[in-house]
Amino acid sequence: MKFPRRGLYAITQPEHRTIKQVVKDVEAALRGGASVIQYRDKNPLDAPQLASLLLEVCDAYAAPLLINDSIELALAVGADGVHLGRDDGEIAEARQMLGPNAIIGVSCYNDVEKALTMAAAGADYVAFGRFFPSGSKPLAAPADIVSLARAKQSITVPIVAIGGILPENGGTLLAAGADLLAVIGGVFDHEPEAAARAYQALFNHQPE
C-alpha cells in the first residue's frame, strides 16, 4: 500500500481505553476520512492483538497502518510500515526487515538537513514538529513554520506536520508546505468521525 500524498494522519491514543474502544475509535476516524493510521502505544498491554485488529480495520478502508517505534511489531503483524523516532533504528534496518514495499517514515523534529538525509536514504515521508503546544508531546522541542517552508522547497517525499494541530490552526501548516497533518488528541479526545471530517475539510481549501 502506498503512502498518501496528503490527508489526515491519525495517531492512536490507547491510554485508559479498552482494545475494543481503540478499534472502534480508529474505525470512526477512518469513516471521517483519515488517510493514515499510526499505532502508537507507550504502555501496551497486548500490542500484537491490538495492532492486528487495527490492521484489519485499516485494510477495509484501504488506509495504511504504520507502527510507531517498533520494526519488530510491524514485521510480526504484517503492518504496512513503521515510523522511526530518534532512537528507533535505521531506515536500512527497517527496509531489510520489512521489505521494499514497506512505508518508512522518520521524525525530523525541526531539522531540514536531517530530513534531506533521511529522504535520500529511502524514507517514504518525513515528519516535523511539534508546531503548537501538545498534550501528547508536552516536552517535545518546538518546530517552526520557516523550517517547514524550507523543507517544502527541497524535499520531494511527503511532509507530515505534528504537534498540537487543530482544525483552527492546521491550515497555516498546509499553506506553509505540510502535506499531511498528524493528530492524536485532536481526533481521539473528541468524537473521532466528526473530528476527522473537520481536519479533512482543511484539505479541500488547499491546492493539489
Side-chain angles (χ1 to χ4, degrees):
M1 195 175 298
K2 290 186 177 180
F3 189 76
R5 289 297 314 187
R6 53 194 273 133
L8 173 63
Y9 181 131
I11 302 176
T12 63
Q13 188 168 261
E15 293 78 9
H16 311 300
R17 290 173 168 86
T18 64
I19 288 176
K20 182 178 180 181
Q21 185 64 52
V22 174
V23 174
K24 181 180 178 182
D25 288 348
V26 165
E27 183 164 15
L30 290 165
R31 281 199 309 271
S35 300
V36 186
I37 299 294
Q38 182 193 119
Y39 172 45
R40 176 181 185 268
D41 194 347
K42 295 302 182 181
N43 298 289
L45 295 176
D46 193 341
Q49 180 189 9
L50 179 49
S52 296
L53 291 171
L54 292 177
L55 183 60
E56 289 180 16
V57 174
C58 288
D59 283 348
Y61 286 83
L65 175 70
L66 308 182
I67 305 296
N68 186 58
D69 292 349
S70 178
I71 302 170
E72 291 77 13
L73 180 59
L75 178 64
V77 301
D80 297 290
V82 67
H83 182 86
L84 302 175
R86 186 174 278 118
D87 304 311
D88 299 331
E90 302 295 329
I91 291 175
E93 177 191 6
R95 185 66 68 201
Q96 182 178 13
M97 290 179 65
L98 300 178
N101 297 322
I103 298 167
I104 300 173
V106 183
S107 292
C108 298
Y109 311 101
N110 196 40
D111 189 338
V112 177
E113 284 67 34
K114 176 176 181 175
L116 285 164
T117 300
M118 294 298 100
D124 295 289
Y125 71 89
V126 293
F128 289 87
R130 64 169 173 86
F131 285 96
F132 305 106
S134 167
S136 301
K137 296 176 177 286
L139 302 179
D144 59 69
I145 288 180
V146 173
S147 295
L148 187 60
R150 278 185 56 216
K152 188 63 175 178
Q153 292 173 356
S154 53
I155 293 173
T156 57
V157 299
I159 296 172
V160 177
I162 188 170
I165 301 173
L166 303 171
E168 294 78 14
N169 60 31
T172 304
L173 301 177
L174 295 178
D179 299 300
L180 297 97
L181 301 178
V183 181
I184 305 175
V187 171
F188 295 113
D189 282 346
H190 307 276
E191 198 291 305
E193 182 174 352
R197 291 189 191 283
Y199 284 100
Q200 278 299 110
L202 297 175
F203 295 91
N204 298 332
H205 301 292
Q206 295 292 323
E208 291 283 352

